[in-house]
Amino acid sequence: MQTKAEFINYFEQTLSPSIAPIENIRLQCAKYIKYNILLFVAMVFIVILLLFLDWLPNEQVVIPIVLVVVGFLFAIGYFSYRLMKLDYKKKYKNYLVRPIIHFVSPDLKYFPERSIPEGHFRMSRIFLEKPNIYEGDDFVEGQIDQTAFHFSEVKAQVQRSNGKNTTTHNLFHGLFFIAEFNKEFEGSTVLLPNKIGKGWRFLKRVSGLNRKERYVEMEDPSFNKLFNCYSVDDIKARYILSPALMARITNFAQKYPKQALHISFVNSYLFVAIAYNKNLFEPNYFKSILNIEQALQYFEDIQFVVGIVEDLNLNTRIWSKV
Amino acid sequence: MDIKIMLLVGAIVVVFYFLAIYNRFITLKNQGKNAFSNIDVMLRKRYDLIPNLVNTVKGYMSHERAVLEEITALRNQLNKGGLSEDEVVDLNNQISKAVGTVFVAVEAYPDLKASSNFLHLQRAMAEIEEQLSASRRSFNMAATMYNTLLEKIPSNIVGKVFGFQRKCLFQATVEEKQMVDIQSALKSN
């Protein structure tokens, strides 16, 4: 694993000079945004003037002409901004995000526009509701030793209606990670963040009544403090979650206390959903691309996800699965 | 509220509470039984693998002949049948310990360690041990909860009334103890 100091050195020596030309596109984008805002304000102001002041001669002809001209100018500005934004976003991902991903591991493959398929998201059995809106991007795939994995940003939303109004709720927003697990098994075991607290077995059992997995009390108190385990079979749950793996998961969750972790093990696959309350790997037009803070954050986010393979020791293949 | 109604409601609550405790005893007992039958399946799988293991390693391991003989003897004891739950638990612990000794001793025989037959056996044994460990942990968890119910007030009254007996736990094997060490090491980091 690369260190933070190595990344800072890489950013300053290699990455920064190569992304410097893209900074001009960002500045132009920012200018276009300001220009559009000004144009929009001007348009509103003109419309108000035309509607409320009664001094124009031949106003039935002049008002529509003025409106069309201003609208046309606004449309030109808006579409130019959209084109430039697209161009900048593409370059941002290819010249900044991609090298950072390759810096973490040269074997990783990055597809900015792809995402984890909805079928895989649902297969994890972490979130049982079917999302009405499902989108994602920034798909990364790779292999560390014998463990193949992939992840992407995912935004899944559900729409709920009370008869009169329909509201949209976030089911999940963050990074969704899938890897081959190092043991062969069938069925599902799901680890959900423990929001109930220590003890309260009855409540934990009741809160899992909507799923086919049942609450399984594990032996590790620190693990139970962080996660509630639900599984189709308590022996299978213990086969998957060996004492060592429970300690590793606990350690991993304690290392990143800000991130709400949902983990599941389904048919020999490991799924990890890491919730974020921000869009990941997206450009900020009012912040310089040469600012190291943003790049450092990306480096840490990617390393955190890729680190799952090592942190959970997925390359230990001493059981029947080769 | 009428005192009679209050007493009646109180009695119903107590009856339901005791019924719930009784059902909890039965659930834990069955969970333990299920884990135990799974242990039995795994023991049989291991039982089938033991002759292979002994045959593979005996040509190499001249100094560990006693351990190999012990494994064979333990296997034969399992085959006798008519064993109580506690006897099976005890035999299981002894076999795990003896097989563990063989795998540790292999380190001194590089030729054996590299043989594909042995590697395959080692993988199969590790798989069975992992499954056994999971079943043992499941059994122990159910037995601990069951024993706790037997000791706690007022569930101990239900336990005594229905004659529930304490359950014996499986001992931790060397590997499991090592895992506990990993856990404490991780915590200290």
Side-chain angles (χ1 to χ4, degrees):
Chain A
M1 279 264 177
Q2 317 274 17
T3 63
K4 195 172 160 181
E6 283 171 333
F7 178 74
I8 293 172
N9 187 39
Y10 165 73
F11 184 84
E12 282 166 356
Q13 302 295 320
T14 318
L15 200 52
S16 198
S18 73
I19 56 173
I22 306 167
E23 176 67 1
N24 292 331
I25 306 175
R26 183 196 69 81
L27 287 170
Q28 256 180 314
C29 267
K31 216 156 84 184
Y32 265 89
I33 293 170
K34 284 176 196 161
Y35 164 75
N36 273 305
I37 292 169
L38 274 176
L39 209 59
F40 185 75
V41 171
M43 202 170 80
V44 172
F45 187 69
I46 289 168
V47 168
I48 291 168
L49 269 183
L50 290 176
L51 287 176
F52 292 98
L53 295 180
D54 203 16
W55 47 265
L56 270 176
N58 207 2
E59 60 183 26
Q60 280 172 342
V61 179
V62 174
I63 291 175
I65 290 173
V66 172
L67 283 180
V68 166
V69 170
V70 176
F72 184 70
L73 282 175
F74 180 72
I76 289 177
Y78 180 72
F79 284 112
S80 319
Y81 156 70
R82 291 282 296 176
L83 282 175
M84 194 160 280
K85 190 181 152 188
L86 270 178
D87 181 43
Y88 178 63
K89 192 176 168 180
K90 212 171 160 184
K91 288 196 166 98
Y92 184 86
K93 297 207 171 194
N94 282 319
Y95 290 92
L96 178 71
V97 181
R98 192 185 292 278
I100 296 175
I101 289 171
H102 288 162
F103 179 77
V104 172
S105 169
D107 300 328
L108 296 177
K109 286 178 191 151
Y110 175 55
F111 305 92
E113 276 153 29
R114 268 175 61 187
S115 80
I116 297 276
E118 190 184 339
H120 291 184
F121 175 78
R122 296 209 64 209
M123 202 176 106
S124 71
R125 296 201 46 78
I126 294 173
F127 307 100
L128 298 179
E129 260 181 287
K130 183 176 169 23
N132 300 98
I133 303 162
Y134 182 90
E135 55 197 26
D137 55 7
D138 299 307
F139 181 91
V140 176
E141 68 179 8
Q143 182 155 346
I144 294 178
D145 290 341
Q146 295 175 77
T147 307
F149 64 90
H150 48 272
F151 64 88
S152 84
E153 185 179 359
V154 163
K155 192 172 187 178
Q157 293 177 311
V158 280
Q159 285 171 334
R160 290 180 193 135
S161 172
N162 59 3
K164 284 179 188 173
N165 302 319
T166 304
T167 47
T168 306
H169 300 267
N170 258 0
L171 188 62
F172 172 71
H173 182 203
L175 282 174
F176 200 80
F177 173 90
I178 305 175
E180 280 177 15
F181 194 59
N182 53 4
K183 288 177 183 169
E184 199 92 54
F185 62 90
E186 280 176 8
S188 51
T189 295
V190 184
L191 305 179
L192 302 177
N194 181 5
K195 290 174 187 162
I196 298 171
K198 201 180 156 193
W200 301 101
R201 274 184 213 130
F202 179 72
L203 269 184
K204 288 172 184 173
R205 272 201 291 269
V206 170
S207 73
L209 284 179
N210 60 334
R211 35 176 79 245
K212 67 176 181 182
E213 299 86 5
R214 283 177 305 148
Y215 175 66
V216 178
E217 172 113 356
M218 304 306 286
E219 308 93 311
D220 186 338
S222 359
F223 177 84
N224 286 338
K225 208 171 141 188
L226 295 171
F227 295 101
N228 291 334
C229 174
Y230 295 89
S231 179
V232 287
D233 180 341
D234 81 301
I235 299 174
K236 241 172 224 169
R238 285 174 222 279
Y239 169 67
I240 295 162
L241 293 161
S242 64
L245 183 63
M246 276 195 286
R248 285 177 189 283
I249 291 175
T250 307
N251 193 43
F252 184 68
Q254 283 167 345
K255 218 159 86 180
Y256 305 98
K258 281 183 194 165
Q259 258 73 39
L261 289 180
H262 295 71
I263 300 172
S264 79
F265 304 86
V266 182
N267 299 335
S268 304
Y269 278 93
L270 161 74
F271 299 84
V272 184
I274 308 149
Y276 279 87
N277 49 12
K278 59 175 181 184
N279 275 333
L280 294 155
F281 314 123
E282 294 300 323
N284 180 341
Y285 299 93
F286 296 103
K287 222 174 188 178
S288 170
I289 192 173
L290 302 168
N291 182 347
I292 193 165
E293 271 174 43
Q294 187 65 72
L296 199 61
Q297 187 62 53
Y298 292 165
F299 166 71
E300 283 173 353
D301 286 340
I302 296 159
Q303 225 181 22
F304 162 63
V305 184
V306 175
I308 293 173
V309 176
E310 280 175 21
D311 281 336
L312 302 192
N313 209 12
L314 299 181
N315 279 317
T316 300
R317 304 285 170 128
I318 55 167
W319 302 284
S320 58
K321 186 167 179 175
V322 186
Chain B
M1 200 193 280
D2 196 338
I3 189 85
K4 282 181 185 170
I5 296 174
M6 280 172 76
L7 282 173
L8 186 70
V9 171
I12 291 171
V13 169
V14 169
V15 168
F16 270 96
Y17 181 70
F18 277 87
L19 274 177
I21 292 176
Y22 176 81
N23 285 343
R24 188 81 191 125
F25 267 118
I26 299 298
T27 308
L28 291 172
K29 204 170 146 185
N30 287 340
Q31 195 180 320
K33 263 189 191 169
N34 176 40
F36 204 83
S37 64
N38 208 56
I39 289 170
D40 207 39
V41 172
M42 288 303 141
L43 277 177
R44 274 179 204 293
K45 276 192 183 176
R46 185 166 69 176
Y47 175 87
D48 294 338
L49 275 181
I50 284 173
N52 274 346
L53 177 73
V54 172
N55 287 335
T56 308
V57 300
K58 75 178 174 192
Y60 297 87
M61 291 181 160
S62 44
H63 302 295
E64 286 80 9
R65 207 158 282 276
V67 182
L68 299 178
E69 279 165 10
E70 188 195 336
I71 293 175
T72 312
L74 289 170
R75 179 184 184 268
N76 292 340
Q77 276 186 52
L78 264 179
N79 200 23
K80 275 184 194 163
L83 300 167
S84 71
E85 249 184 34
D86 289 353
E87 282 169 332
V88 175
V89 169
D90 189 42
L91 268 178
N92 181 29
N93 288 338
Q94 286 185 55
I95 290 183
S96 293
K97 208 174 148 190
V99 169
T101 314
V102 171
F103 283 118
V104 171
V106 165
E107 296 298 321
Y109 304 92
D111 290 349
L112 172 61
K113 217 177 140 187
S115 106
S116 65
N117 197 16
F118 177 76
L119 283 175
H120 174 74
L121 266 170
Q122 194 179 31
R123 211 173 262 281
M125 277 290 191
E127 175 73 31
I128 291 172
E129 284 299 330
E130 194 73 356
Q131 298 267 13
L132 266 173
S133 161
S135 304
R136 274 199 302 263
R137 283 164 53 213
S138 177
F139 179 87
N140 279 354
M141 194 69 197
T144 307
M145 285 159 101
Y146 177 95
N147 291 342
T148 311
L149 270 184
L150 265 182
E151 283 171 21
K152 269 169 113 176
I153 299 171
S155 50
N156 60 345
I157 302 169
V158 181
K160 271 190 187 139
V161 170
F162 291 96
F164 293 128
Q165 299 294 317
R166 270 188 72 84
K167 294 267 173 207
C168 171
L169 302 191
F170 282 94
Q171 289 165 15
T173 61
V174 177
E175 296 81 42
E176 280 161 350
K177 279 180 184 155
Q178 280 168 349
M179 280 170 186
V180 174
D181 287 340
I182 291 173
Q183 203 169 357
S184 48
L186 280 172
K187 271 178 194 163
S188 63
N189 280 335

